Amino acid sequence: MAAPPPPGSLPPPLDAPAAAKLSPTEQPNPEYRTLYQAYADAYGSIDRLRQALDAPVRTLNGTDAWLGPEARRWGGLLDENRDTLRKAADRILWDIYDRLSATQRTIARV
């Protein structure tokens, strides 16, 4: 699963000048602003999560300190967990993206 498009591919929340141009029956949707900011924050920092197990994999593969069947078994589990972590990171982004994409930028003024 690939990562979803960057936050800039979606319309940003309405700023004050744009909100002033809305009809009297509309207002900016605060939920859209919150989701957009959450998506931008997650998108900007998700690589730290994706790469969290890269250093242990490099360490295990870069040394002869631990060899044998146990080392290979443990290394295989480490690789599986790294793949799972990367998929989970993409899933987090997709979940926020899908919710944001389905949220209207404006709502009816109450």
Side-chain angles (χ1 to χ4, degrees):
M1 168 187 320
S9 66
L10 295 165
L14 296 170
D15 58 12
K21 295 177 184 176
L22 291 174
S23 76
T25 61
E26 289 182 297
Q27 66 182 8
N29 185 348
E31 182 180 353
Y32 186 88
R33 177 174 296 284
T34 300
L35 284 168
Y36 189 91
Q37 188 60 54
Y39 184 57
D41 291 346
Y43 201 92
S45 63
I46 204 76
D47 281 341
R48 283 195 335 246
L49 180 59
R50 278 194 190 104
Q51 298 165 1
L53 294 178
D54 289 355
V57 168
R58 278 192 305 275
T59 299
L60 182 65
N61 294 333
T63 181
D64 291 343
W66 192 21
L67 301 172
E70 267 313 300
R72 285 190 295 278
R73 190 171 12 265
W74 194 86
L77 288 172
L78 185 59
D79 284 335
E80 286 176 27
N81 287 329
R82 182 171 63 163
D83 290 342
T84 300
L85 185 61
R86 288 178 175 171
K87 288 174 187 171
D90 288 339
R91 182 75 260 155
I92 289 167
L93 286 180
W94 275 113
D95 286 349
I96 300 170
Y97 176 85
D98 290 343
R99 177 92 184 265
L100 178 59
S101 297
T103 302
Q104 299 295 316
R105 289 173 70 202
T106 61
I107 55 175
R109 188 173 297 275
V110 188

